[in-house]
Amino acid sequence: MDYFLQNLINALQWGSFYAVISIGYSMVYGVLMLFNFAHGDIFMVGTYIGFGVATLFLTLFSAIMPGWLIFIFTVVITMFLASFVGVFVEVVGYRPLRGAPRASAAITGLMIGIIFETGNLIILGAKRFSFPPLIESITYNFGGIYVTNVKVMIVVISLLLMLGLHLFIQKTKWGMAMRAMSYDFLAVPLMGVSINVIAPLTFAIGAGLASVAGILYGQAYPVLDPYMGILIGWKAFVAAILGGRGSIMGAALAGYMLGFIEIFVAMIFPSTFRDLIAYSIILVILTFRPRGFFGMAHSASLRL
Amino acid sequence: METIKKIKRSLGTVPLLGWILGAFVAATLEYFLGDAASYYLGLPKIPAIFGTLIMFKDPMMIPSVIAYDLLIYTVPVILVAKLTAPLTNRLAGLLEHLPLVIATLVHLAAFYGVLHIWADINDYRVLVLKLTMVSVILTISINIINGYQGEFSCSHPGFMALGAYTSSALTLLFFADDKLFGAALLPAWLGPWMFPLILIAGGFVASIGSLVVAIPSFRTRGDYLAIISLAFMFIVKSAIENLEVLGGPRGMSSQPNYASLPVVFAWMAISIWIINNFVSSTMGKALNAVRDNEPAADSMTVNTRKTKMTAFMFGAFWAGIAGGLFAHVLRYVNPATFGIQKLAEILAMVYFGGLNSIWGSIVGAVSISVLGEALRPLELFKWIIIPLILILVMLFRPHGLISFTDFNIKGLMRSRNRQPGNNQTENVLSSQGGRQ
């Protein structure tokens, strides 16, 4: 029982990473009907930006600012900077291909991701960096269940981000425009909604969220790797599709489900079976429920 | 401009056979005189891939490399091709009257001769040629699914892995003494003759594996099928990593050296022939119909389920063959090979070359493979340049360089003897040949 609850907490943390990243995929997919295959590597870029900002602040202000304040500044500044990366990807890689077959956009996204990975290696070299701890880790013991404040913080911040995004989409004019676009991104621009505003906005929000996930990930697993976007990004991508087209709720739930599957599979089987079982479950679900959990049916003519 | 047109028209009178003959002479020239030429031009050795490697490493060598390429390749090819044009045109004219199979075999044999001599000079060239030919098989097989059928399948590395591991397990089990399977079960001399059957077995396993993706395609299409195929790739990779009996994450090594240059070349030629026949057949037209409008195809008597299943199984079969050849060219295979990186490579080749086109796939596979090797000295920058090139192609040619073009082997091999200056008798004979 203790073991189960311990892993439940681990699953919540692990699922939070998937959930926050997969929302970025889901938003782009919902608004533009595109697979943003570069998103996983935007998560990686965001993590490195966070690392840079955090290191800079620690160097300059560690004497006068407590760690948690540096953490807050790191999150805010990194979200802002990563948003530009997202917009850049949209403007350079996806906007010119709006009229092209969607497979072309998928290929372009893949290639942009490779450029990010290789560019990282070229600029920073193969040396491994370690994300500096910004929050002092405190371990609490609840009747045999060990919980750290960092773990709780990760889950809470993720949930707050998702709540904030939900409110933004449901309560603001921009959010309304995004929802309208997801119904018909060809007709809605005819009604005065500018796709050239909504599309980069979508990418910017997705990139910002991914970068926060990167910072949180860096607090839990400090070692950075230019290819970290591949491992987590592709799973988050699958989770986004599993959650259903354009569904933020679905993406989040699917992300957590994936986290749970991985953690609890490792309880029963050797950990190397995690991918095999996770993807098998996903394949079975998609075979029998092609639209995912909350997806809207879409026209058969839409295809890559 | 007028000069360029004149040159173009002049070179246009040379048939394919003439170019092959020119390349043959150039390769022979390099075989016998390459060492001397590179010595006198100040090159450390014969340039492996037309000198690109040397140029990137040592820019001072660029003039020497250009001189070498001109002296050994460009000038001999053009000179011989032009000078022998009357003879080769006559030969091509003769071949036009023979069955297509014979004409094709003659051209293939000549082309193989060129590759054989060129590769005999340097082991690295053998490896590059083999891997390029494997890439050709991979690219035309994925084009069946992604191009002709129009689904965005991400499962090709999975099919390739199934073929690679099946073939490797069989050759190691039957014909090699190794750590994983112990002593060989059959005498070693049988190996090379059984190799084709082993490759086909790998193809069949990949075909059966493709059902995991093909069956969901009955009611799932587009994006969700793409995800299912992606999940399939990860499942195959993860499953192999967990199979200690097949070497687990460490992989399998010491495969017998059965994938020689003529073997790989023959399999490439066979795959192009069979796949081209497939996509040109009624089934191929059905694939296009399913891609363009499945409900309409269904109402016009196309059995869409059978069509899709056939496409997946057929494409996976050849991916399995390519995987088996790949494993035996490198004589090593491990699960990490068949992941996202390999998927990106394969997708790059098929979308670069062009969808719905055998020609495009061949061009795409050769271009990306050779470019990958040529840029090797740039190390990491190679993976900046190749993606950038691909992004540019996607921006300006969203369907790829050569898409929706039929592969016309007869037109490729025909005589170019059409100059107005020719005498009337030959024109009449050529016209009659053309009409037949």
Side-chain angles (χ1 to χ4, degrees):
Chain A
M1 189 59 179
D2 288 352
Y3 189 47
F4 174 84
L5 289 179
Q6 186 71 65
N7 277 307
L8 183 67
I9 293 168
N10 291 338
L12 277 174
Q13 176 192 252
W14 198 236
S16 295
F17 300 131
Y18 288 142
V20 177
I21 300 171
S22 70
I23 285 172
Y25 282 110
S26 188
M27 286 175 58
V28 171
Y29 185 58
V31 170
L32 294 170
M33 287 300 299
L34 291 178
F35 288 156
N36 180 13
F37 283 146
H39 190 62
D41 288 298
I42 291 175
F43 158 79
M44 178 272 292
V45 171
T47 307
Y48 273 85
I49 293 176
F51 165 77
V53 173
T55 304
L56 186 68
F57 267 69
L58 283 175
T59 303
L60 296 179
F61 304 118
S62 62
I64 60 176
M65 292 175 75
W68 59 267
L69 193 54
I70 294 181
F71 177 81
I72 292 175
F73 271 103
T74 298
V75 168
V76 173
I77 294 175
T78 301
M79 282 187 82
F80 182 70
L81 294 177
S83 299
F84 284 105
V85 176
V87 172
F88 173 83
V89 168
E90 196 275 330
V91 171
V92 172
Y94 286 98
R95 185 171 299 191
L97 289 171
R98 274 200 199 131
R102 294 190 304 135
S104 304
I107 298 298
T108 300
L110 262 182
M111 295 300 129
I112 289 174
I114 292 178
I115 289 176
F116 280 158
E117 290 156 14
T118 312
N120 186 316
L121 277 172
I122 290 174
I123 294 171
L124 298 178
K127 182 177 64 169
R128 293 298 177 87
F129 294 98
S130 184
F131 207 106
L134 300 174
I135 306 291
E136 183 185 344
S137 181
I138 305 171
T139 303
Y140 305 95
N141 185 343
F142 295 102
I145 312 295
Y146 295 94
V147 182
T148 65
N149 57 335
V150 171
K151 210 165 273 187
V152 173
M153 176 191 74
I154 288 171
V155 176
V156 170
I157 290 180
S158 299
L159 292 175
L160 286 178
L161 283 174
M162 289 177 238
L163 178 62
L165 180 62
H166 177 72
L167 291 178
F168 173 84
I169 289 180
Q170 296 299 323
K171 304 297 182 183
T172 68
K173 189 177 294 187
W174 285 321
M176 182 184 298
M178 291 169 73
R179 278 183 283 128
M181 196 77 68
S182 72
Y183 278 98
D184 193 331
F185 60 92
L186 296 175
V188 168
L190 299 175
M191 309 302 161
V193 177
S194 171
I195 190 169
N196 284 343
V197 169
I198 300 301
L201 176 65
T202 305
F203 274 82
I205 294 176
L209 289 176
S211 66
V212 176
I215 296 171
L216 297 177
Y217 187 84
Q219 295 301 289
Y221 303 96
V223 178
L224 304 182
D225 179 358
Y227 297 107
M228 65 194 289
I230 292 180
L231 299 174
I232 295 196
W234 283 96
K235 291 225 184 80
F237 169 66
V238 172
I241 304 306
L242 194 62
R245 183 171 80 94
S247 171
I248 305 300
M249 177 90 66
L253 283 180
Y256 277 110
M257 186 199 79
L258 202 48
F260 273 73
I261 291 175
E262 294 207 349
I263 296 295
F264 286 108
V265 163
M267 284 178 62
I268 303 170
F269 298 97
S271 63
T272 53
F273 277 85
R274 268 195 308 212
D275 282 5
L276 176 58
I277 294 176
Y279 280 113
S280 298
I281 292 174
I282 289 165
L283 191 145
V284 170
I285 291 174
L286 282 179
T287 300
F288 292 103
R289 183 163 177 83
R291 299 195 310 269
F293 294 146
F294 298 91
M296 295 173 284
H298 64 275
S299 166
S301 66
L302 283 172
R303 65 187 330 149
L304 283 163
Chain B
M1 182 56 64
E2 195 61 32
T3 304
I4 293 177
K5 276 183 182 174
K6 201 170 294 180
I7 293 175
K8 234 178 181 181
R9 200 182 307 120
S10 176
L11 294 184
T13 63
V14 180
L16 180 61
L17 206 55
W19 293 115
I20 294 178
L21 181 57
F24 188 92
V25 169
T28 305
L29 203 62
E30 185 175 40
Y31 187 85
F32 288 110
L33 300 177
D35 280 320
S38 52
Y39 174 78
Y40 284 113
L41 289 171
L43 297 170
K45 58 180 180 179
I46 292 179
I49 309 287
F50 308 110
T52 53
L53 304 179
I54 297 179
M55 281 196 285
F56 284 124
K57 282 178 179 169
D58 188 355
M60 295 294 295
M61 290 289 175
I62 290 179
S64 298
V65 168
I66 293 176
Y68 183 93
D69 286 341
L70 281 175
L71 218 63
I72 296 292
Y73 295 130
T74 310
V75 170
V77 168
I78 295 180
L79 268 186
V80 171
K82 274 300 295 172
L83 291 179
T84 62
L87 173 65
T88 50
N89 268 312
R90 193 164 298 124
L91 276 177
L94 283 178
L95 290 174
E96 278 187 56
H97 299 296
L98 296 177
L100 184 60
V101 169
I102 294 180
T104 305
L105 285 177
V106 169
H107 279 79
L108 282 178
F111 184 53
Y112 176 76
V114 175
L115 295 184
H116 190 86
I117 296 179
W118 189 73
D120 212 37
I121 293 168
N122 187 314
D123 280 342
Y124 177 59
R125 289 179 175 179
V126 180
L127 182 64
V128 171
L129 280 180
K130 288 182 184 178
L131 291 177
T132 300
M133 290 189 275
V134 170
S135 296
V136 168
I137 302 175
L138 269 178
T139 309
I140 56 181
S141 62
I142 195 178
N143 208 337
I144 297 169
I145 301 168
N146 288 45
Y148 289 91
Q149 188 186 308
E151 295 288 355
F152 191 76
S153 170
C154 300
S155 51
H156 240 57
F159 302 148
M160 191 185 177
L162 290 176
Y165 267 84
T166 302
S167 303
S168 297
L170 290 175
T171 52
L172 289 169
L173 180 66
F174 287 125
F175 303 113
D177 302 322
D178 72 309
K179 297 187 292 277
L180 273 181
F181 299 108
L185 298 184
L186 294 176
W189 58 266
L190 260 184
W193 304 107
M194 298 286 289
F195 188 54
L197 292 182
I198 287 172
L199 285 178
I200 290 174
F204 274 124
V205 170
S207 270
I208 293 170
S210 76
L211 290 176
V212 175
V213 187
I215 289 177
S217 76
F218 294 164
R219 56 185 295 214
T220 308
R221 46 166 40 212
D223 302 342
Y224 298 108
L225 190 63
I227 303 311
I228 287 174
S229 65
L230 187 72
F232 175 79
M233 180 193 76
F234 283 123
I235 288 170
V236 170
K237 178 170 175 291
S238 186
I240 294 173
E241 279 172 350
N242 284 282
L243 286 172
E244 279 301 322
V245 68
L246 294 178
R250 298 180 309 279
M252 302 168 65
S253 60
S254 306
Q255 281 87 333
N257 190 16
Y258 294 155
S260 58
L261 190 64
V263 168
V264 181
F265 182 87
W267 275 106
M268 178 188 71
I270 290 170
S271 70
I272 293 175
W273 172 48
I274 293 181
I275 293 176
N276 185 52
N277 281 343
F278 176 83
V279 299
S280 304
S281 69
T282 306
M283 180 65 73
K285 306 309 176 193
L287 276 184
N288 284 171
V290 167
R291 176 195 64 207
D292 292 334
N293 196 324
E294 183 168 356
D298 206 24
S299 67
M300 297 298 287
T301 77
V302 173
N303 186 331
T304 55
R305 292 190 167 191
K306 179 183 174 186
T307 303
K308 289 197 274 189
M309 175 140 12
T310 303
F312 270 103
M313 295 189 80
F314 191 71
F317 175 83
W318 288 102
I321 298 277
L325 289 170
F326 178 80
H328 288 82
V329 167
L330 295 183
R331 307 183 62 190
Y332 172 70
V333 72
N334 79 323
T337 304
F338 305 104
I340 291 291
Q341 184 77 28
K342 179 60 73 176
L343 174 66
E345 274 179 44
I346 298 174
L347 292 176
M349 291 188 289
V350 70
Y351 285 93
F352 179 87
L355 295 172
N356 216 83
S357 166
I358 301 291
W359 250 142
S361 292
I362 297 172
V363 169
V366 173
S367 301
I368 298 285
S369 293
V370 174
L371 193 60
E373 289 304 322
L375 295 177
R376 185 175 288 277
L378 297 185
E379 292 173 10
L380 283 175
F381 284 94
K382 160 181 160 181
W383 290 114
I384 299 285
I385 291 172
I386 292 181
L388 280 178
I389 290 173
L390 215 82
I391 291 174
L392 286 176
V393 169
M394 289 294 99
L395 292 181
F396 294 104
R397 305 272 303 181
H399 290 282
L401 293 182
I402 307 173
S403 49
F404 300 95
T405 303
D406 285 346
F407 187 64
N408 183 359
I409 189 69
K410 198 174 189 108
L412 195 62
M413 299 189 301
R414 78 177 198 282
S415 165
R416 286 343 193 242
N417 210 2
R418 300 283 193 249
Q419 285 202 105
N422 287 337
N423 62 66
Q424 204 62 29
T425 306
E426 283 191 15
N427 278 338
V428 171
L429 288 176
S430 299
S431 297
Q432 287 176 352
R435 248 185 257 113
Q436 292 171 21

